Amino acid sequence: MGLLAEWIAALQGLLDSPSLVTLLGLVLLTVPIVMIARVLRRAGYSPWWVLLVLVPLVNLIALWVFAYARWPAIDEAPPHG
């Protein structure tokens, strides 16, 4: 239990720094936004649509619309076979 308590104390000491918390928050916000932008680009939409993720409730509506809309990338793909 001593090692775990030391880790927790060290983490609490790190999180007392506002700049580190801000940096961690930006990283945790940026990674999903970049991944969603790549999915939108591959689906044929503008990656700028990812900004809807930042607006509460609008992000859920946008997810529903994109899920059931025709994807331009699929419409432009050559037929298989």
Side-chain angles (χ1 to χ4, degrees):
M1 264 320 230
L3 184 61
L4 181 61
E6 289 177 25
W7 275 88
I8 291 173
L11 285 175
Q12 287 174 341
L14 285 175
L15 292 178
D16 287 340
S17 169
S19 59
L20 184 63
V21 172
T22 302
L23 180 65
L24 182 63
L26 286 174
V27 168
L28 291 176
L29 184 66
T30 303
V31 171
I33 287 179
V34 169
M35 291 188 313
I36 294 169
R38 290 187 66 177
V39 168
L40 287 170
R41 187 179 314 122
R42 291 186 81 186
Y45 291 106
S46 170
W48 289 102
W49 282 103
V50 77
L51 295 177
L52 293 177
V53 171
L54 302 174
V55 182
L57 192 62
V58 174
N59 55 10
L60 297 175
I61 295 169
L63 177 65
W64 184 73
V65 168
F66 283 128
Y68 291 103
R70 298 218 26 107
W71 290 12
I74 292 175
D75 292 338
E76 295 171 2
H80 290 61

